[in-house]
Amino acid sequence: MTCRELAGRVFAGRGSSGAGGGVPDALVTTGGTESNQLGVLLAREVLGPEVRVVCGEFAHHSVHRAAWLLGLRAPVVVPSPAGVLEASALERVLSELVPESGAAGPRVLVVATAGTTDTGAVDPLAEVAAVVRRFGVRLHVDAAYGGSLLFSERLRGLLAGVECADSVTLDLHKLGWQPVAAGLFVVPEGGALRPLDHRADYLNADDDTEAGLPDLLGRSLRTTRRPDVVKVAVTLRALGWRGLGALVERTCGLAEEFADLVAKDARFELFGRPGLSTVLFRPVGAGAGVVAQVRRSLLASGSAALGRAEVGGGLWLKATLLNPWSRVADLSGLLELVAGAVPSRPGAWSGAGCGAGAGEGSAGS
């Protein structure tokens, strides 16, 4: 029931199910990568081996890997200068691709993202879904990071349009606070999973299935697997939707507070307001060399584990906040750690690269 409850949460705004008339369902996976692979696999099985995958510039790398793994052509990447897959840019790309489909109909899978890895940005899902409907193509939404917004009544509106997808990726090891593995692959009706069905007499003989024994072979690409859904069920039983939603809201609120601290500190520059719980920042005037050196220094000392993101033509430190009980003092302390890790030697602050001489530039400029 846990899988179907989660699936129902994703497709709550969809209304009646599709042509199959079934109820929303979900499979437990090892994480976002496997779920995205399943999204591409189902598209290939439904649309054929000539299907073209279309995604934004900041789609997760697993989308590209899935196309390669399944023997498909490399995805068509839609330029995304604003950091998200914009509907107008998608429309231009589909206008060129769809006529190539011929009489067989459009064989295209659009992959949208709800929570990019670099910035946590959410694609305008409702606008993307409208374009997808207009061209009659298939839609998969990678909500591995941002899907947990659905737990919050206040924040779930940021994912408006996700209910229009043909399949959705969730991963509760992020804003669901589950140990790995805790991925989910969600579809609007269980019948959509039929292409995954596989028969092996010693595991799911027809007469056993007809007699009521559970048939799990068609519910995963794996055979032997752990009961990962148990921990998710326990969490939902203990906290409920409201409890999880409150933790999501608290965590996203902390990201806003951290962004405020960065914006007010003259030593740092902020990339932009957080979309979810990720904040990009760096020392003012620091080039890629300094940013990379600061991050490695903090990792090596065990002081802080910051990520890195190359967006907007530069390299940034990435703080992905996932502890809802962090305090403002903790966030301020993080900034002090970063400031203390900035090289003090002349010229190092600019981080211009290998060509920068020791005497070039000045600290803080």
Side-chain angles (χ1 to χ4, degrees), residues 261-359:
L261 289 175
V262 173
K264 293 174 183 177
D265 194 321
R267 299 171 297 176
F268 298 99
E269 58 179 314
L270 178 69
F271 175 78
R273 302 305 303 182
L276 295 173
S277 66
T278 294
V279 179
L280 300 189
F281 69 105
R282 64 188 176 193
V284 169
V290 166
V291 172
Q293 183 177 346
V294 167
R295 175 177 175 269
R296 287 193 292 266
S297 175
L298 292 171
L299 283 172
S301 67
S303 302
L306 291 172
R308 57 186 282 168
E310 190 164 353
V311 293
L315 187 65
W316 301 79
L317 295 171
K318 180 172 69 171
T320 301
L321 304 179
L322 293 174
N323 182 0
W325 304 115
S326 294
R327 302 163 300 171
V328 174
D330 299 321
L331 305 178
S332 298
L334 175 59
L335 287 182
E336 294 306 317
L337 286 172
V338 173
V342 175
S344 57
R345 59 184 174 82
W349 187 256
S350 64
C354 297

Side-chain angles (χ1 to χ4, degrees), residues 5 23 48 51 86 103 110 143 164 223 226 238 294 332 345 351 353 356 360:
E5 288 174 4
V23 297
V51 62
E86 295 178 312
V110 172
C164 300
T223 303
R226 306 184 310 179
V294 167
S332 298
R345 59 184 174 82
E360 295 176 5

Side-chain angles (χ1 to χ4, degrees), residues 20-21 43 61 68 76 86 88 133 168 223 236 278 284 308 332 341:
H61 69 84
W68 164 76
V76 177
E86 295 178 312
S88 56
R133 282 196 302 271
V168 177
T223 303
L236 287 173
T278 294
V284 169
R308 57 186 282 168
S332 298

